[in-house]
């Protein structure tokens, strides 16, 4: 054994820039993720883990007629022989292949608990059993006939197929999803009968357009059914480009209970929506008053889906209730379409419907030719042996003599009758009783049959037209074996804007919004006559008291320049202490509440900052759609006032006051604004809006309201320095 000296110091160190090293290694990782984990092959629609599971089960002879075996045994075979990764990930992939609510055409026949549409997980692999389904057999048909290429497994102890023969377009039939590095795939399931009809159209007319194919494949066909409401144009564009999406809704019907009472029965769920989580989400909408039309929800499902939705009252239209729930919950989902796959060369590509079907057909032709060539070789070998047997029957006595008397009968047979070594070995291995007259007739019959088969196979491999006809016949057989009615209804696109907003059904009732200094908010019915009778938590007290209606939107202004929007109907009852405002909006911990207003459509607000800048903002533009509110001021917010007059009064921290016409302020949706009053030191202390006919009022240190009869002495131009205000003026409120 030769012992090599260790390399000199630093001999194993590669001197290269860090950026180059990281780039090369990350690229290798990304390519491995794309090709070996996340993207399916366009020919058989599988990722490596699914392909290895089916091949391992095929090797274990777990066909539909065989007895099922423990899933733990299958997972062990896959992990030990083909897929050196965690058993949990392999079992998860196997379970998905067996779920009829996840796969349009399940490829594994599972026995035991394989999970359900509620989101419950499957039982442990030691408890469940499995075998292949007839659909999986169609995908594996011909794999032992040299129909596809094989490669060495990870430990070089065995071989695994690079791709399966794929008797039907599994990529589109069962769909696929995955996330790689820098790319992803999302392919919905389809009806295999429609896909094969489209393949036949392509075989008849290769110039067929995607628009013509969509006449046969109108859209996805999800295993859980539902109603697709995306519209023909959008689906056509998705199939043309390989990118798009489809809106999928639950299937529902109205059940009449008599006397004008009714309820909704949901019978089919959108694809990949867990029923238990949907029910929790709907119950949460009811609890937080976010679904004003929905009164109750309950689950009466057994083997079939039966979800009961009860309206708030009988005056609501069923269509209106469902349209509101489609917007608010997963009763409607959007399934993305991103047909990103690996082509025959292993290159990631986004393909349209026609390209995917064409790639599948090309693969089937390759499989047909390879399988035919494999059969030709074996037929020729068998015919060669049968020719030797025919010579034996013509010279049977001489052959028997040679075998009995000659010391080297093999060499004599070869020399005497011109046989090959393979023929002579076969003759010498044949039993004497097989040389009877009846066997001679059987051999002649077999020889003629094989000769005819050989001629047919040779004609097939030499004619492209005959190959495509053979592919077409095979697809017809598969179609009859797998045909099933469409489950997902393709409906016209629904314009939900035509429906009245759910808020229109909220009863209009007078309330008083109560916000405490510590941020607890509630809504008391009617008008609060005596605020002193309100009760708060210990150490807390009233901060804002706002009259409103249940149909109003509340504008909550914060010191960080944001205005939040809250539906008044969503506030807690006034009987308790309410709930923390910060649970309803994403308010920064350091921010303080500046004001709370009931939104008035078409109204205007005066926005003022502590730095002395301000502007007029239309109220409609301050409404926020998200919990994070809407940023209206760039700076620290001092005041948000409803514009109810024609003049603005300001007072600075330097006690100087200034009054100017409201018309001098610009109107804008958001920004910094213009200077209201000029200060050498400090900033704005307070601001007010008033009518010149009535004049302004202000509050002295003792809390008493005071008139300001000579306010015109402080009238000037905006951005002026102002003059010393009346004695005691610090705040207007």
């Amino acid at each position: 054994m030769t012992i090599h000296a260790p390399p000199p110091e630093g001999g194993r160190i590669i001197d290269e820039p860090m950026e180059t090293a990281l780039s090369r290694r990350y690229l290798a990782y990304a390519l491995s993720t794309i090709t070996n984990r996340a993207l399916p092959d366009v020919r058989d629609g599988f990722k490596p883990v699914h392909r290895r599971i089916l091949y391992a089960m095929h090797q274990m002879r777990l066909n539909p007629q065989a007895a099922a075996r423990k899933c733990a045994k299958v997972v062990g075979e896959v992990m030990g022989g083909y897929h050196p990764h965690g058993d949990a990930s392999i079992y998860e992939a196997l379970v998905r292949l067996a779920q009829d609510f996840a796969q349009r055409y399940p490829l594994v026949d599972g026995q035991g608990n394989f999970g359900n549409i509620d989101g419950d997980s499957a039982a442990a692999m030691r408890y469940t059993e499995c075998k292949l389904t007839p659909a999986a057999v169609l995908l594996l048909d011909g794999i032992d006939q040299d129909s596809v290429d094989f490669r060495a497994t990870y430990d070089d102890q065995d071989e695994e197929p690079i791709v399966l023969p794929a008797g039907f377009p599994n990529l589109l039939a069962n769909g696929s999803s995955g996330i790689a590095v820098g790319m992803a795939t999302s392919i919905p399931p389809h009806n295999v009968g429609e896909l094969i009809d489209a393949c036949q159209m392509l075989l008849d007319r290769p110039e067929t357009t995607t628009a013509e194919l969509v006449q046969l494949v109108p859209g996805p066909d999800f295993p859980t059914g539902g109603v697709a409401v995306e519209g023909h144009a959008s689906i056509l564009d998705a199939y043309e480009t390989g990118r798009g999406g489809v809106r999928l809704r639950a299937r529902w019907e109205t059940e009449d209970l008599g006397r004008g009472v009714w309820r909704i029965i949901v019978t089919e769920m959108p694809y990949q929506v867990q029923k238990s989580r949907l029910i929790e989400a709907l119950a949460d909408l009811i609890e937080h008053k976010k679904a004003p039309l929905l009164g109750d929800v309950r689950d009466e499902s057994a083997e079939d889906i039966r979800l009961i939705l009860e309206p708030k009252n009988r005056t609501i239209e069923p269509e209106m209730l469902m349209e509101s729930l489609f917007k608010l919950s997963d009763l409607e989902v959007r399934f993305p379409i991103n047909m990103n796959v690996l082509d025959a060369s292993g290159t990631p590509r986004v393909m349209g419907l026609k390209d995917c079907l064409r790639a599948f057909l090309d693969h089937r032709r390759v499989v047909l030719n390879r399988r035919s060539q494999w059969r030709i070789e074996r037929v020729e070998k068998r015919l060669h042996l049968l020719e030797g047997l025919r010579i034996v029957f013509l010279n049977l006595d001489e052959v028997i003599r040679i075998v009995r008397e000659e010391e080297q009968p093999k060499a004599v047979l070869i020399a005497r009758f011109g046989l090959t070594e393979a023929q002579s070995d076969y003759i010498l291995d044949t039993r004497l009783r097989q040389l009877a007259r009846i066997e001679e007739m059987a051999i002649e019959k077999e020889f003629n049959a094989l000769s005819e088969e050989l001629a047919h196979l040779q004609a097939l491999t030499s004619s492209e037209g005959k190959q495509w006809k053979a592919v077409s016949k095979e697809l017809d057989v598969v179609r009859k074996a797998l045909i099933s009615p469409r489950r997902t209804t393709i409906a016209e696109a629904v314009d939900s804007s035509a429906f009245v907003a759910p808020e229109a059904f909220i009863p209009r009732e007078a309330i008083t919004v109560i916000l405490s200094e510590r941020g607890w908010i509630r809504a008391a019915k009617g008008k609060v006559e005596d605020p002193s009778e309100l009760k708060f938590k210990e150490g807390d007290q009233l901060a804002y008291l706002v009259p409103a209606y249940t149909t109003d939107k509340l504008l909550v202004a914060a010191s960080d320049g944001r205005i939040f929007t809250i539906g008044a109907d969503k506030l807690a009852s006034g009987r308790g202490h309410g709930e923390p405002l910060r649970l309803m909006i994403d308010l920064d911990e350091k921010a303080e509440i500046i004001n709370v207003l009931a939104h008035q459509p078409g109204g205007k607000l005066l926005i003022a900052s502590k730095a002395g800048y301000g502007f007029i903002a239309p109220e409609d533009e301050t409404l926020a759609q998200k919990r994070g509110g809407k940023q209206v001021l760039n700076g620290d917010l001092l005041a948000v006032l409803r514009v109810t007059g024609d003049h603005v009064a300001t007072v600075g921290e330097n006690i100087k006051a200034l009054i100017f016409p409201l018309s001098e302020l610009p109107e804008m949706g958001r920004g910094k604004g213009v200077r209201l009053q000029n200060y050498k030191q400090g900033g704005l202390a307070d601001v007010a809006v008033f009518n010149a006919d009535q004049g302004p009022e202000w509050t002295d240190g003792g809390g008493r309201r005071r008139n300001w009869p000579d306010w015109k002495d402080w009238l000037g131009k905006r951005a002026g320095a102002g003059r010393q205000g009346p004695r005691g003026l610090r705040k207007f409120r």
Side-chain angles (χ1 to χ4, degrees), residues 406-419:
E406 297 293 337
E407 294 183 2
Q408 295 182 339
K410 178 179 178 180
V412 175
L413 286 173
I414 292 174
R416 175 72 177 79
F417 300 109
L419 301 176

Side-chain angles (χ1 to χ4, degrees), residues 27-44 46-52 83 85 151 160-163 179-181 183 185 340-349:
L27 180 61
Y29 162 73
L31 290 174
S32 175
T33 302
I34 292 168
T35 58
N36 296 323
R37 190 180 305 173
L39 299 189
D41 193 298
V42 69
R43 295 169 292 180
D44 63 1
F46 285 127
K47 302 174 187 177
V49 63
H50 303 110
R51 190 179 298 116
R52 289 163 177 167
H83 198 69
H85 300 281
R151 64 185 169 204
E160 62 173 329
I162 295 177
V163 65
I179 300 176
V181 177
M183 60 180 64
T185 186
N340 193 5
V341 294
L342 300 176
D343 63 16
S345 64
T347 305
R349 283 179 54 198

Side-chain angles (χ1 to χ4, degrees), residues 532-720:
S532 63
E533 294 182 357
L534 295 173
K535 295 182 180 181
F536 298 91
K537 289 179 177 289
E538 186 177 352
D540 201 1
Q541 60 183 351
L542 179 65
Y544 294 94
L545 199 67
V546 183
Y549 289 91
T550 51
T551 54
D552 286 342
K553 298 288 186 183
L554 296 180
L555 301 178
V556 180
S559 59
D560 60 0
R562 289 188 293 171
I563 294 181
F564 303 87
T565 304
I566 303 174
D569 62 303
K570 297 176 175 60
L571 298 180
S573 170
R575 294 178 181 177
H577 295 118
E579 60 180 326
L581 179 62
R582 293 179 187 272
L583 293 180
M584 306 179 72
I585 58 177
D586 291 335
L587 182 63
D588 190 88
E589 293 183 1
K590 297 180 180 179
E592 299 177 356
I593 301 300
I594 299 301
N595 200 2
V596 180
L597 300 167
H599 169 61
Q600 293 182 359
K604 299 183 185 299
L605 299 175
L606 171 63
I607 310 293
S609 70
K610 291 182 179 180
Y613 290 83
F615 59 92
I616 303 298
E619 274 195 53
D620 295 338
E621 295 186 21
T622 63
L623 289 173
Q625 302 296 328
K626 299 180 180 179
R627 285 170 52 94
K630 192 169 187 179
Q631 194 80 36
V632 296
L633 179 75
N634 301 330
D636 294 331
L637 187 61
L638 175 72
V640 174
L641 305 175
R642 176 159 288 117
V643 175
T644 56
D646 49 20
H647 280 72
V648 177
T650 61
V651 59
E653 293 176 348
N654 59 5
I655 318 299
K656 288 187 176 182
L658 176 66
I659 298 176
F660 57 88
L662 181 71
S663 59
E664 295 187 12
L665 290 181
E667 185 173 312
M668 51 200 296
R670 58 170 295 177
K672 180 180 179 181
V674 297
R675 185 175 290 279
L676 304 178
Q677 186 176 353
N678 197 9
Y679 313 103
K680 290 184 179 180
Q681 292 181 343
L684 184 65
D686 202 3
V687 61
V689 180
F690 66 94
N691 268 318
D693 296 341
Q694 300 174 352
E697 292 183 346
W698 52 278
T699 304
D700 62 17
R704 291 172 296 180
R705 297 292 293 172
R706 292 184 176 274
N707 293 325
W708 193 352
D710 54 346
W711 61 269
K712 292 185 179 179
D713 293 341
W714 280 264
L715 191 62
K717 291 288 187 181
R718 177 188 60 79

Side-chain angles (χ1 to χ4, degrees), residues 330-629:
D330 281 345
L331 284 170
E332 176 183 305
V333 298
R334 182 173 177 81
F335 190 91
I337 297 178
N338 181 14
M339 299 167 74
N340 193 5
V341 294
L342 300 176
D343 63 16
S345 64
T347 305
R349 283 179 54 198
V350 176
M351 294 186 176
L353 175 65
K354 181 178 179 179
D355 291 336
C356 288
L357 294 177
R358 173 52 63 186
F360 164 74
L361 291 173
D362 290 341
H363 174 60
R364 286 303 299 169
R365 183 187 170 206
V366 171
V367 168
L368 175 70
N369 278 327
R370 292 187 57 153
R371 198 175 61 218
S372 300
Q373 195 61 46
W374 177 87
R375 181 62 182 164
I376 286 173
E377 293 174 1
R378 277 148 185 78
V379 169
E380 288 178 339
K381 182 177 179 181
R382 179 63 180 168
L383 285 173
H384 181 64
L385 298 177
L386 291 176
E387 285 178 355
L389 283 179
R390 293 173 76 189
I391 294 174
V392 167
F393 280 110
L394 293 174
N395 305 276
L396 185 58
D397 294 338
E398 179 65 13
V399 170
I400 293 174
R401 186 195 67 75
I402 293 173
V403 172
R404 292 181 60 189
E405 299 178 0
E406 297 293 337
E407 294 183 2
Q408 295 182 339
K410 178 179 178 180
V412 175
L413 286 173
I414 292 174
R416 175 72 177 79
F417 300 109
L419 301 176
T420 64
E421 189 170 340
Q423 288 174 323
S424 60
D425 286 338
Y426 184 70
I427 292 169
L428 292 173
D429 291 339
T430 302
R431 295 180 182 181
L432 186 62
R433 63 178 181 174
Q434 291 180 281
L435 301 180
R437 178 67 181 169
I438 190 170
E439 290 296 333
E440 181 181 4
M441 296 172 63
I443 289 172
E444 192 65 28
K445 183 178 180 181
E446 181 184 359
F447 184 86
N448 293 333
L450 289 178
S451 298
E452 185 178 341
E453 182 183 356
L454 179 62
H456 170 73
L457 291 172
Q458 289 174 337
L460 179 66
T461 55
S462 61
S463 170
E464 182 178 346
K466 291 182 178 180
Q467 292 167 15
W468 287 125
K469 286 184 179 179
V471 169
S472 177
K473 290 181 180 179
E474 290 178 349
L475 289 177
D476 279 337
V477 174
V478 172
R479 189 183 191 282
K480 293 177 182 178
L482 294 180
I483 189 170
S484 63
R486 166 173 276 277
R487 299 180 185 176
T488 300
T489 302
I490 306 297
E492 292 298 322
V494 176
D495 183 11
S496 57
S497 63
F499 293 90
V500 181
E503 290 79 3
F505 291 88
I506 300 173
R508 180 178 170 85
E509 298 175 354
I511 58 172
T512 301
V513 179
I514 305 163
L515 179 63
S516 72
E517 287 189 349
R518 292 189 175 179
W520 287 76
I521 192 168
R522 50 185 158 149
K525 289 186 177 181
K527 181 180 180 182
V528 176
E529 299 293 345
D530 187 1
S532 63
E533 294 182 357
L534 295 173
K535 295 182 180 181
F536 298 91
K537 289 179 177 289
E538 186 177 352
D540 201 1
Q541 60 183 351
L542 179 65
Y544 294 94
L545 199 67
V546 183
Y549 289 91
T550 51
T551 54
D552 286 342
K553 298 288 186 183
L554 296 180
L555 301 178
V556 180
S559 59
D560 60 0
R562 289 188 293 171
I563 294 181
F564 303 87
T565 304
I566 303 174
D569 62 303
K570 297 176 175 60
L571 298 180
S573 170
R575 294 178 181 177
H577 295 118
E579 60 180 326
L581 179 62
R582 293 179 187 272
L583 293 180
M584 306 179 72
I585 58 177
D586 291 335
L587 182 63
D588 190 88
E589 293 183 1
K590 297 180 180 179
E592 299 177 356
I593 301 300
I594 299 301
N595 200 2
V596 180
L597 300 167
H599 169 61
Q600 293 182 359
K604 299 183 185 299
L605 299 175
L606 171 63
I607 310 293
S609 70
K610 291 182 179 180
Y613 290 83
F615 59 92
I616 303 298
E619 274 195 53
D620 295 338
E621 295 186 21
T622 63
L623 289 173
Q625 302 296 328
K626 299 180 180 179
R627 285 170 52 94

Side-chain angles (χ1 to χ4, degrees), residues 277-291:
R277 290 190 178 180
L278 174 63
I279 294 172
E280 290 177 6
L282 291 173
D284 188 66
L285 290 175
I286 296 173
E287 182 180 354
H288 292 87
K289 302 180 182 179
K290 295 182 179 178

